[in-house]
Amino acid sequence: MSGDLAAFRERAARFLAGRLERRAPREDAAWGEGDDRISLFEEIDPEAERRTLDAARRWQRDLFDAGFGWIDGPAELGGAGLTAEHEAAFRGLLAGFESPDLRPLTVGLDIVAPAVLAHGDDELKRRVLPGLHRGELMACQLFSEPEAGSDLAAVRTAARRDGDAWVLNGHKVWTSGGHLADIGLALARTDPEASKHAGLTMFLVDMRDPGVRVEPIRQMTGGASFNEVFIGGARVPDRDRVGGPGEGWRVALTTLLGERSSLGGEGGGPLPAGFVPRLRQLVAVLPEADDPLVRRDAERALMSVDAMRLTAERYGEQERGGAGGGLNGVEGSVAKLLLVRALADTERLLTGLLGRGLVADDGSWGRFCWSEFVLGIPAFSIAGGTDDVQRNIVAERGLRLPKGAS
Ligand SMILES: Cc1cc2nc3c(=O)[nH]c(=O)nc-3n(C[C@H](O)[C@H](O)[C@H](O)COP(=O)(O)OP(=O)(O)OC[C@H]3O[C@@H](n4cnc5c(N)ncnc54)[C@H](O)[C@@H]3O)c2cc1C
């Protein structure tokens, strides 16, 4: 595919216009018209969830087949062989269209695929990466355990070598999308004698293996998008090992960087499409917004969202310009903390502005719908590493402050 950016943009714009509807600017939508639903997590029944996943898989396949599914991926693995700048240009164009929700595939695309690309052997990369990027393989992340969250290297799930395979036994928790996933990236202890970080190895587990049992966890929002996963004697062929035996911690660090940059990244991370226009419309329309304290909170929330967006864009530009940085390491933690602050400021605005309307549905349009959004906010202070953990990273690796006692 041609690397000329202008020609690429033209081709991408033609592809998108041929398949998708243009997104109507939310400011133009009349208050009270259409679906007012807005959320950070889709809370839908299992059937609708399955339909969303199928639509995501079809759209990702179309993107991949047209050369837009893995724009900066190596051509020999099915990528388009272009640059991160092309990828960003495509994302910018896509934002102008109504497109199928790709969130069910995010863990596979943004977290698992980069780890396989960086650490898998050539055979594993050829076998798994095209499927992940074409939406044929949906992946989940089997890291956290009841006794290992922030202190991830404390995982107890054990993997024992048995001929040309490994046998896994353990208990994972908070596995997003585990009930739908085809494969799971699992961190396991392969050498109980080695030091905590050295005795770990990373595997790709077949989620349909008879030794894998997935149980949903019900959330306060009513949905059940994550799970407990009980692993009892699951067999994993050695060829599905990601990185060498004992190198699991190194692989885990790659995935954690991918996760943070996905959460705090360019394009608003997990914020739903049209979020800022919806917020502006709320403040413009509701009479309660004339209260000076609410106006102050509105300014603060909108500035926080802008700070998050601009910081992510700056890191992205630095990375694409080859100036180093990018959403890696400390920058990823800063970007994720800015996302959390933007969400906290939005929550303060919504509670002040909507008051009881946020907890009691009186049937009026555009008010109670925000309760699902607000209930999703606390999750982002925890997922992908808690705020405390991100601050530790900024303090120790960014500011070079002495290590805390942990
Ligand atoms: C929406 C969501 C989706 C998730 N999806 C997945 C998934 O798909 N796969 C997966 O493996 N996991 C997933 N998780 C789990 C997530 O990674 C963990 O919840 C997170 O790492 C925190 O671990 P923990 O819950 O065990 O809390 P703990 O580690 O027990 O932390 C408890 C408290 O202690 C604080 N704390 C801990 N250590 C330190 C320290 N050194 N310094 C200062 N404070 C500290 C924490 O900040 C926190 O406030 C998900 C979580 C959420 C909320």
Side-chain angles (χ1 to χ4, degrees):
M1 195 184 291
S2 159
D4 178 307
L5 195 56
F8 171 83
R9 287 179 65 88
E10 214 172 285
R11 206 173 64 78
R14 254 200 324 275
F15 168 81
L16 292 170
R19 278 172 180 72
L20 302 174
E21 295 286 315
R22 268 183 202 287
R23 190 186 296 285
R26 186 77 209 185
E27 290 89 336
D28 296 350
W31 175 258
E33 267 180 24
D35 188 355
D36 65 351
R37 227 179 139 173
I38 183 154
S39 67
L40 285 161
F41 294 96
E42 279 260 281
E43 301 298 356
I44 47 181
D45 62 64
E47 199 154 307
E49 194 177 39
R50 178 66 64 182
R51 277 200 304 277
T52 307
L53 173 60
D54 289 346
R57 285 187 195 271
R58 280 196 301 275
W59 176 230
Q60 186 62 33
R61 183 196 60 205
D62 289 353
L63 287 172
F64 186 86
D65 291 349
F68 301 115
W70 192 14
I71 292 168
D72 56 358
E76 65 277 15
L77 294 172
L82 297 173
T83 65
E85 209 175 343
H86 292 80
E87 174 76 53
F90 186 77
R91 253 187 286 123
L93 288 169
L94 182 63
F97 292 86
E98 297 287 350
S99 61
D101 185 355
L102 286 177
R103 276 181 292 183
L105 302 177
T106 312
V107 172
L109 293 173
D110 294 350
I111 297 174
V112 177
V116 174
L117 182 65
H119 301 282
D121 63 24
D122 287 347
E123 190 274 331
L124 185 71
K125 285 186 210 174
R126 274 196 304 275
R127 189 154 44 84
V128 170
L129 289 175
L132 279 171
H133 286 281
R134 199 167 182 263
E136 288 156 2
L137 288 176
M138 180 193 166
C140 64
Q141 185 191 29
L142 297 165
F143 280 19
S144 305
E145 298 183 2
E147 302 300 329
S150 302
D151 186 13
L152 182 59
V155 294
R156 293 178 182 174
T157 292
R160 180 177 47 78
R161 187 81 196 233
D162 181 23
D164 61 356
W166 297 79
V167 179
L168 267 64
N169 284 288
H171 177 189
K172 297 288 180 177
V173 72
W174 312 123
T175 314
S176 307
H179 55 306
L180 297 170
D182 304 295
I183 53 173
L185 186 71
L187 187 62
R189 186 159 303 283
T190 42
D191 185 353
E193 307 300 324
S195 69
K196 193 167 159 189
H197 293 83
L200 299 168
T201 303
M202 194 70 85
F203 300 96
L204 281 179
V205 175
D206 179 352
M207 294 299 285
R208 311 256 149 66
D209 187 285
V212 175
R213 184 162 56 87
V214 181
E215 300 271 346
I217 298 176
R218 181 75 47 199
Q219 295 142 219
M220 67 173 164
T221 44
S225 55
F226 43 43
N227 309 271
E228 279 186 275
V229 177
F230 298 91
I231 308 174
R235 280 187 80 78
V236 179
D238 186 51
R239 64 188 197 134
D240 289 345
R241 180 172 34 77
V242 184
E247 286 179 6
W249 187 247
R250 219 157 58 87
V251 184
L253 290 181
T254 305
T255 72
L256 296 175
L257 293 180
E259 189 168 9
R260 265 168 239 150
S261 57
S262 164
L263 282 169
E266 283 180 282
L271 294 178
F275 164 72
V276 170
R278 278 286 295 269
L279 217 51
R280 284 190 192 284
Q281 193 185 36
L282 201 62
V283 174
V285 168
L286 295 189
E288 297 92 316
D290 289 338
D291 182 316
L293 291 179
V294 171
R295 298 208 82 76
R296 182 203 60 190
D297 288 347
E299 285 307 316
R300 186 177 288 166
L302 290 166
M303 279 196 294
S304 287
V305 174
D306 262 353
M308 168 204 155
R309 184 180 55 77
L310 292 169
T311 305
E313 266 172 32
R314 180 161 58 83
Y315 288 150
E317 273 165 22
Q318 276 173 14
E319 192 176 36
R320 288 189 289 280
L327 286 181
N328 288 315
V330 175
E331 289 86 356
S333 296
V334 172
K336 203 202 150 214
L337 285 166
L338 288 176
L339 164 72
V340 169
R341 195 177 69 187
L343 288 171
D345 288 343
T346 302
E347 183 177 0
R348 187 180 308 113
L349 165 65
L350 291 170
T351 47
L353 180 57
L354 298 171
R356 276 175 299 177
L358 199 57
V359 286
D361 189 0
D362 64 0
S364 50
W365 195 93
R367 290 175 181 252
F368 181 68
C369 59
W370 285 96
S371 83
E372 196 172 303
F373 184 94
V374 168
L375 287 175
I377 289 176
F380 290 94
S381 285
I382 305 170
T386 67
D387 295 351
D388 301 315
V389 167
Q390 307 303 340
R391 289 196 188 96
N392 282 348
I393 293 171
V394 174
E396 290 167 13
R397 290 190 221 152
L399 303 174
R400 306 267 173 224
L401 295 177
K403 248 177 136 30
S406 61

